[in-house]
Amino acid sequence: MATFQLELVSPEKLLLSRAVEMVVIPAAEGEMGVLPGHAPMIVTLRGGTIRVMEGGKDAERLFVAGGFAEVTPERVTILADEATPLAELSKVEADRRVVEAEAAYAAASNDTPEKRDAAMANLLAMRVMRDVAEAA
């Protein structure tokens, strides 16, 4: 099967760089599958799971807290705010981060709409992190 280059970069390091058959990303508009030859675009990511497909099945799954993806016919570059393999997620840590995000959202109630939206996006991402940590 045809492949394309996938690169996943977090602020700390390059997490993934290899040829893959398909990737499913949590775009802000919904789950988005990318195959070789996809139309070029740049999309915003929401908190969710990236699924790397090889051999017709999930080869790797990673949680991302948000970011951007640049899609070209030959490459997908994901610039993630935070990325963690699902196997490394901790339910206890995810619960703690949900509590922090809830407090930050409550504290942003009198801030600008942009700051409230950012706090809500973080809260939603942390809730997804908790959900996938429980399922892992």
Side-chain angles (χ1 to χ4, degrees):
M1 181 174 219
T3 62
F4 62 92
Q5 187 68 22
L6 172 64
E7 292 187 346
L8 174 59
V9 182
S10 74
E12 295 84 32
K13 61 183 174 181
L14 174 67
L15 293 168
L16 188 71
S17 180
R18 69 174 188 254
V20 301
E21 293 174 0
M22 179 179 177
V23 65
V24 179
I25 59 177
E29 298 82 18
E31 297 292 307
M32 180 178 152
V34 180
L35 293 165
H38 197 286
M41 61 180 58
I42 295 177
V43 296
T44 303
L45 301 179
R46 61 179 163 72
T49 302
I50 292 176
R51 295 178 22 227
V52 179
M53 310 291 286
E54 294 173 350
K57 56 186 169 191
D58 282 356
E60 193 163 354
R61 296 176 63 183
L62 302 107
F63 167 79
V64 292
F68 296 90
E70 178 186 22
V71 178
T72 69
E74 308 82 27
R75 171 183 307 275
V76 173
T77 304
I78 298 170
L79 305 171
D81 296 338
E82 171 185 345
T84 309
L86 291 191
E88 295 178 16
L89 290 178
S90 159
K91 183 182 173 337
V92 172
E93 175 68 9
D95 285 338
R96 182 188 66 74
R97 294 191 58 192
V98 167
V99 169
E100 286 178 359
E102 287 171 341
Y105 180 68
S109 64
N110 294 323
D111 280 337
T112 64
E114 295 81 13
K115 288 184 180 180
R116 284 194 311 270
D117 288 348
M120 176 53 80
N122 183 55
L123 174 56
L124 294 173
M126 294 305 103
R127 287 179 176 169
V128 169
M129 175 192 256
R130 180 181 59 197
D131 292 346
V132 297
E134 289 175 353

